[in-house]
């Protein structure tokens, strides 16, 4: 199932968080689990109070929607223990039609890969082949690898060197130990002599006959005898391939995680000699493998944007995502899409009002928790229905949701707003950036912050520090204008601090700030139109 993130703006407020949770619940009624409520910023104290009151968890935190490896629709998930014989891994590579095969330890931790490149370097390009030897291997496995027949069995693991009896017999015998193995052809005296030396196993090549005396002596001495149709060269080659794959595995294959961006993963794969990257999880556990083929399909996270429709306010990486729908109650911004999408913009007081309306229109009530957070979003964004942005739709939704939750609107709303005014130990910088939104107006880059206060006392007492901090924020974020509104619900207005070049302040008639504006309670409905007119006419 392709999951869809429902996400609000940066510096999310209660409306942004609650509308995402409620809309995800609404859509998941028909497609359970497909829609995920998300946020791209911290939960403020007011929102935390609302979530706790109605028993809801905060939406999933999403820092960026740039597609990552976790979004890939396909990865190669096969792997094999590194102690398997190399020939078995090579067979698996043929079966799965891959050029690289991931190898793990007994706990599934990634160790390296066996690659065609590595096989070629090991068995084709090297000029000198070292002494043949065996890692511990059972006779049954050896017989399988050599496509042979066990003539005389042995229960022990075989481990040692391998000699081909082409030298003078006394030379070969002088080298052999009880752990070693010898390859011999159709020469019974040599076969008997080798058995008499007490070696671990005798491999008879070329389907050469194995006589009764050879079998009898081998049984008496505990020497395994194996017959194969391969010639001596073929036996040597296959023995070389019977060594554990870990002996020739590559450990310089790029390693990534599920959080690695697809763009970076592509870069690693294209730069790797193996054209591969392996995905690991916690404790280096192997999860999968990417190759060039896995990047053939374009990948993008799918989003529904709530409570905003501007790039400057959207989650990082939004330009790489597929936007399916936008629901908002602000001015129309500059977000564009490649395909037609559903776009619903209604100048009501809250995005939660729009989502509540969807429930009402559907004839299905939200559950009490969802109704509670919808109510919280509306009361927060309208300052308990006091702002000029408040519409009859907001009031209707509040009555509907209050009845479902048995909530005293005035009592709960007042407490909710007070929680939002509790600065706690927050620094002035945190206060000025907690609810800050970015805009492009008439060619100017602007950020407007709104701080809710019970009275003007805080702003008047700290006016010098606020001016200084506003200048720092404007400079740090390379803005043309930074505005901070200290809005008092109980005094029905805002004190406005503006940081901008002196000439701009003069043209906007804000040079003597801070300015107190009676009735300016809404950033969206009251101040932005006012500022826009000033910029337009300046």
């Amino acid at each position: 199932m392709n999951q869809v993130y429902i996400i609000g703006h940066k510096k999310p407020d209660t409306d942004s968080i609650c509308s995402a949770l409620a809309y995800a619940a609404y859509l998941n009624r028909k497609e359970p689990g497909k829609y995920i409520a998300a946020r791209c910023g911290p939960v403020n104290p007011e929102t935390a109070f609302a979530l706790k009151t109605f028993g809801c968890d905060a939406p999933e935190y999403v820092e960026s929607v740039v597609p990552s490896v976790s979004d890939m629709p396909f990865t190669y998930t096969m792997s094999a223990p590194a102690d398997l014989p190399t020939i078995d891994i090579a067979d698996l590579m043929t079966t799965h039609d891959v050029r690289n095969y991931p190898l793990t330890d007994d706990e599934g931790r990634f160790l390296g890969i066996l690659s065609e490149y590595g096989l070629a370097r090991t068995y084709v390009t090297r000029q000198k082949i070292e002494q043949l030897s065996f890692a511990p291997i059972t006779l049954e496995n050896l017989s399988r690898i050599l496509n042979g027949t066990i003539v005389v069995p042995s229960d022990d693991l075989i481990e040692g060197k391998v000699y081909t009896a082409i030298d003078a017999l006394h030379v070969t015998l002088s080298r052999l130990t009880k752990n070693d193995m010898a390859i011999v052809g159709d020469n019974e005296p040599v076969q008997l002599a080798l058995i008499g030396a007490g070696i671990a196993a005798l491999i008879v090549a070329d389907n050469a006959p194995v006589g009764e005396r050879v079998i009898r002596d081998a049984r008496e001495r505990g020497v395994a005898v194996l017959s194969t149709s391969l010639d001596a060269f073929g036996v040597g080659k296959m023995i070389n391939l019977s060594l554990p794959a870990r002996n020739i595995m590559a450990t310089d294959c790029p390693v990534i995680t599920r959080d690695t961006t697809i763009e970076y993963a592509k870069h690693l794969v294209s730069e790797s000699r193996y054209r591969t990257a392996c995905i690991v999880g916690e404790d280096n556990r192997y999860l999968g493998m990417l190759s060039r083929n896995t990047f053939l399909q374009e990948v993008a996270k799918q989003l529904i944007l709530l409570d905003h429709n501007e790039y400057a306010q959207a989650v990082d990486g939004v330009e790489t995502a597929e936007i399916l729908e936008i629901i908002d109650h602000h001015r129309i911004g500059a977000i564009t899409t490649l395909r037609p999408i559903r776009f619903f913009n209604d100048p009501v007081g809250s995005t939660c009002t729009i989502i509540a309306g969807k429930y009402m229109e559907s004839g299905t009530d939200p559950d009490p928790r969802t109704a509670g957070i919808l109510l919280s979003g509306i009361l927060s964004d309208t300052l308990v229905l006091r702002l000029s942005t408040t519409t009859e739709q907001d009031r209707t939704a509040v009555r509907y949701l209050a009845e479902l939750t048995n909530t005293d609107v005035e009592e709960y709303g007042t407490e909710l707003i007070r929680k939002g005014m509790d600065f706690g130990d927050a620094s002035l910088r945190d206060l000025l950036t907690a609810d800050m939104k970015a805009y492009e107006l008439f060619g100017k880059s602007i950020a407007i912050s709104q701080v809710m206060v019970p009275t003007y006392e805080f702003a008047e007492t700290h006016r010098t520090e606020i001016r200084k901090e506003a200048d720092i924020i404007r400079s740090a974020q390379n803005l043309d204008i930074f505005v901070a509104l200290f809005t008092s619900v109980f005094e029905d207005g805002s004190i406005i601090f503006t940081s901008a070049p002196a000439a701009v302040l003069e043209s906007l008639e804000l040079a003597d700030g801070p300015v107190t504006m009676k009735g300016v309670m809404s950033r969206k409905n009251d101040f932005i139109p006012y500022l826009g007119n000033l910029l337009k006419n300046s």
Side-chain angles (χ1 to χ4, degrees):
M1 177 191 298
N2 290 331
Q3 292 187 312
V4 179
Y5 288 94
I6 302 178
I7 191 165
H9 50 75
K10 291 180 178 177
K11 307 288 184 182
D13 56 10
T14 302
D15 185 39
S16 177
I17 295 285
C18 292
S19 60
L21 286 168
Y23 197 38
Y26 177 81
L27 295 177
N28 280 327
R29 296 177 308 162
K30 292 184 177 179
E31 297 179 272
K34 180 173 181 177
Y35 298 91
I36 301 173
R39 59 187 171 91
C40 51
V43 175
N44 65 40
E46 178 191 280
T47 308
F49 172 73
L51 295 177
K52 183 178 180 181
T53 298
F54 292 101
C56 294
D57 294 327
E60 179 180 327
Y61 176 67
V62 175
E63 183 176 8
S64 170
V65 292
V66 172
S68 64
V69 171
S70 62
D71 299 308
M72 296 290 292
F74 170 76
T75 59
Y76 298 96
T77 56
M78 66 279 188
S79 65
D83 289 324
L84 275 185
T86 300
I87 186 62
D88 289 342
I89 306 297
D91 287 342
L92 288 171
M93 291 167 69
T94 300
T95 299
H96 293 284
D97 192 25
V98 293
R99 296 182 177 182
N100 307 286
Y101 214 88
L103 304 176
T104 62
D105 64 12
D106 293 340
E107 301 296 325
R109 287 181 285 262
F110 176 70
L111 297 177
I113 61 170
L114 185 67
S115 68
E116 285 186 350
Y117 174 85
L119 286 168
R121 297 242 337 160
T122 302
Y123 294 111
V124 176
T125 61
R126 68 183 182 181
Q127 298 298 309
K128 183 176 185 244
I129 296 180
E130 293 81 6
Q131 169 69 53
L132 282 176
S133 62
F134 271 108
I137 190 171
T138 63
L139 193 62
E140 287 77 10
N141 266 342
L142 179 59
S143 174
R144 175 177 58 81
I145 291 169
L146 298 180
N147 194 24
T149 302
I150 299 173
V151 180
V152 177
S154 170
D155 294 333
D156 297 328
L157 288 173
I158 301 170
E159 180 180 13
K161 295 179 181 179
V162 182
Y163 295 89
T164 304
I166 57 174
D167 293 322
L169 183 59
H170 72 278
V171 173
T172 301
L173 292 174
S174 69
R175 296 171 179 166
L176 290 167
T177 71
K178 64 179 181 178
N179 295 320
D180 295 336
M181 188 179 305
I183 304 171
V184 67
D186 185 8
N187 189 328
E188 186 171 78
V190 172
Q191 294 174 6
L192 290 169
L194 293 169
I195 290 170
I199 61 176
L202 183 71
I203 299 175
V204 182
D206 283 321
N207 274 335
V210 181
E212 289 299 323
R213 185 179 173 190
V214 171
I215 294 172
R216 185 186 67 246
D217 282 9
R219 284 175 177 161
E220 290 176 355
R221 291 254 182 192
V223 176
V225 178
L226 192 151
S227 174
T228 176
S229 60
L230 298 175
D231 61 14
F233 174 78
V235 171
K237 183 174 110 175
M238 297 309 291
I239 286 174
N240 226 353
L241 287 169
S242 74
L243 293 173
R246 71 164 64 239
N247 288 24
I248 61 168
M249 73 180 179
T251 57
D252 59 340
C253 175
V255 176
I256 57 179
T257 70
R258 287 171 56 83
D259 294 329
T260 303
T261 66
I262 289 178
E263 199 60 37
Y264 185 61
K266 281 182 182 179
H267 168 74
L268 290 179
V269 169
S270 65
E271 293 293 316
S272 167
R273 67 178 63 175
Y274 312 108
R275 298 295 187 263
T276 290
C278 288
I279 310 162
V280 299
E282 189 176 349
D283 196 26
N284 207 43
R285 305 276 176 175
Y286 172 77
L287 299 177
M289 179 176 68
L290 298 177
S291 73
R292 287 178 295 179
N293 291 339
T294 53
F295 295 112
L296 293 178
Q297 184 177 339
E298 287 296 322
V299 176
K301 282 187 168 71
Q302 294 185 319
L303 303 182
I304 294 175
L305 303 182
L306 296 186
D307 201 29
H308 71 297
N309 68 99
E310 302 195 46
Y311 282 119
Q313 297 179 23
V315 60
D316 289 346
V318 67
E319 65 281 353
T320 69
E322 180 184 2
I323 300 173
L324 302 181
E325 182 179 8
I326 299 174
I327 298 176
D328 195 14
H329 67 126
H330 297 95
R331 75 186 190 104
I332 303 298
I335 282 183
T336 59
T337 61
L338 292 176
R339 300 175 183 174
I341 66 166
R342 290 188 298 273
F343 188 119
F344 188 86
N345 191 288
D346 194 358
V348 293
S350 164
T351 309
C352 282
T353 297
I354 300 172
I355 307 304
K358 288 183 175 291
Y359 276 102
M360 289 188 280
E361 290 166 10
S362 72
T364 304
D365 294 336
D367 62 74
R369 292 196 309 172
T370 303
I373 57 174
L374 282 170
L375 177 63
S376 301
I378 301 171
L379 296 179
S380 170
D381 243 27
T382 63
L383 292 181
V384 199
L385 305 178
R386 289 186 176 90
L387 285 185
S388 59
T389 56
T390 306
T391 66
E392 190 55 39
Q393 290 168 259
D394 299 303
R395 296 185 181 90
T396 299
V398 164
R399 288 193 294 268
Y400 166 68
L401 297 167
E403 184 176 346
L404 290 176
T405 57
N406 194 27
T407 300
D408 184 309
V409 169
E410 194 63 34
E411 180 181 339
Y412 172 66
T414 301
E415 183 62 19
L416 179 72
I417 299 305
R418 287 190 183 280
K419 291 293 182 182
M421 296 178 187
D422 184 5
F423 298 159
D425 297 327
S427 66
L428 184 56
R429 173 76 57 85
D430 290 339
L431 290 179
L432 291 177
T433 57
D435 185 13
M436 182 176 71
K437 293 183 179 179
Y439 305 90
E440 289 289 333
L441 293 174
F442 299 99
K444 303 287 187 183
S445 60
I446 301 169
I448 303 175
S449 171
Q450 187 166 31
V451 182
M452 306 307 298
V453 292
T455 68
Y456 292 150
E457 181 182 358
F458 179 88
E460 290 170 342
T461 303
H462 296 86
R463 63 171 55 203
T464 302
E465 300 99 299
I466 293 170
R467 281 174 174 163
K468 181 178 179 182
E469 197 62 55
D471 289 337
I472 292 172
I473 292 172
R474 179 172 67 87
S475 175
Q477 301 205 15
N478 197 28
L479 298 166
D480 292 314
I481 302 172
F482 173 76
V483 182
L485 279 68
F486 284 80
T487 302
S488 171
V489 180
F490 305 110
E491 297 189 55
D492 188 31
S494 298
I495 292 184
I496 297 165
F497 293 81
T498 306
S499 172
V504 174
L505 289 175
E506 287 289 346
S507 67
L508 297 179
E509 301 175 1
L510 294 171
D512 297 327
V515 177
T516 301
M517 293 188 177
K518 190 72 173 174
V520 174
M521 303 284 285
S522 168
R523 170 173 44 194
K524 172 184 72 174
N525 226 40
D526 300 330
F527 186 72
I528 290 179
Y530 167 79
L531 180 62
N533 284 328
L534 289 178
L535 289 170
K536 181 179 178 180
N537 297 320
S538 64

